[in-house]
Amino acid sequence: MYFVTPRQLIFPGDVIATADKKVEGPVYLDNGRYRSLVVGLVEFREDSVVIVPLEGTYRPKKGDVVVGYVTDVLATGWEVDVRSFMPAYLPVSEALHKHVDLETTPLTTFLNVGDVIVAKVKDVDLTDEYPIVLTLREEKVGKVESGTVVDIAPVKIPRVIGKKGTMLNMLLELGCDIVVGQNGRIWIKCGDPRDEVFLASLIRKIELESHVMGLTDRVKSEIEKYKESKQK
């Protein structure tokens, strides 16, 4: 038995369902009933109910796409901020496609403090000094030369993407390049800088109103109005 409805806002301790139902997310069992551990939204998906937290830090997983800032140049790689409670490391072997003599070539030639990169999480090992290992040896990753980076709460990323990518596809209608990092950073690159400003504001709107019904329709309306204003 369920005690919640789709898109319902719930609070810690609220009853979600009886123990015979499939419930995913930050919940706990109490006398045969699932209760929420967080403030979140209820989503119904095929055979389960999922609790989506409205706040939370990024917890890296192998294969995640992330947008990070280089924070330090080390002897054999770079330290990268990916908005996690754990430091990330990009080794030279995962950043360059050719051999480099580190005794004669400074790593700042390739990446320096403050540079922005789109990377993939290659591995997560809590026993290492740098638990998160990144790689650039994949398609559609590398150093970001221009564009805009928008920071939002990592737990809101699924809302930016939308079910089956519907929300993201709407954002892509303006013809811009958009990379949605699982760590809550979104990179936008448009031919027209005004489009970047508009998309950044729209993404923040999605973050703020992620729990409000009818968000997809409102975003669609905002995009149509913006397109019309550019044609005038």
Side-chain angles (χ1 to χ4, degrees):
M1 179 178 181
Y2 294 115
F3 298 93
V4 291
T5 56
R7 307 301 300 165
Q8 179 179 332
L9 180 65
I10 58 172
F11 297 88
D14 284 355
V15 178
I16 301 164
T18 50
D20 59 315
K21 298 298 183 180
K22 185 177 180 181
V23 180
E24 300 177 17
V27 298
Y28 65 98
L29 269 174
D30 176 36
N31 292 324
R33 293 182 175 184
Y34 284 107
R35 293 180 182 271
S36 177
L37 282 167
V38 298
V39 177
L41 287 178
V42 176
E43 287 192 3
F44 280 73
R45 299 179 188 171
E46 296 182 356
D47 63 341
S48 66
V49 167
V50 180
I51 305 304
V52 181
L54 291 183
E55 297 293 339
T57 58
Y58 168 58
R59 296 181 179 277
K61 302 185 301 297
K62 183 177 180 179
D64 280 358
V65 173
V66 295
V67 179
Y69 292 98
V70 176
T71 54
D72 197 5
V73 181
L74 308 173
T76 58
W78 300 265
E79 183 178 294
V80 183
D81 164 33
V82 293
R83 298 186 76 195
S84 174
F85 57 92
M86 301 179 289
Y89 175 57
L90 174 62
V92 171
S93 60
E94 293 297 332
L96 307 178
H97 294 273
K98 59 182 180 181
H99 174 73
V100 174
D101 186 347
L102 299 183
E103 293 185 1
T104 59
T105 307
L107 290 185
T108 52
T109 304
F110 308 102
L111 289 172
N112 208 345
V113 173
D115 284 344
V116 181
I117 62 170
V118 174
K120 268 197 174 183
V121 176
K122 182 180 182 181
D123 195 17
V124 179
D125 186 347
L126 299 179
T127 64
D128 284 351
E129 179 183 1
Y130 287 96
I132 308 170
V133 177
L134 305 177
T135 182
L136 300 184
R137 298 178 68 87
E138 300 275 352
E139 293 184 359
K140 299 181 180 180
V141 297
K143 181 180 177 181
V144 171
E145 300 288 355
S146 58
T148 300
V149 176
V150 183
D151 282 22
I152 66 171
V155 295
K156 303 296 180 70
I157 287 298
R159 198 70 181 98
V160 173
I161 297 172
K163 291 182 179 179
K164 298 182 179 179
T166 51
M167 187 73 80
L168 179 58
N169 286 335
M170 282 197 298
L171 299 178
L172 289 168
E173 287 179 8
L174 292 178
C176 301
D177 293 324
I178 303 176
V179 174
V180 180
Q182 293 300 318
N183 60 330
R185 287 198 180 115
I186 302 168
W187 173 71
I188 309 165
K189 180 66 174 71
C190 306
D192 186 341
R194 294 177 299 173
D195 293 348
E196 290 182 20
V197 174
F198 170 72
L199 283 174
S201 66
L202 201 54
I203 288 169
R204 293 192 178 97
K205 177 185 179 70
I206 294 170
E207 177 187 26
L208 292 173
E209 300 181 16
S210 62
H211 61 288
V212 182
M213 293 290 288
L215 176 61
T216 301
D217 290 337
R218 290 196 300 279
V219 169
K220 183 177 181 179
S221 177
E222 290 281 345
I223 292 174
E224 292 303 322
K225 289 179 182 177
Y226 178 73
K227 286 181 179 177
E228 291 174 5
S229 70
K230 289 190 68 178
Q231 293 173 354
K232 294 180 180 179

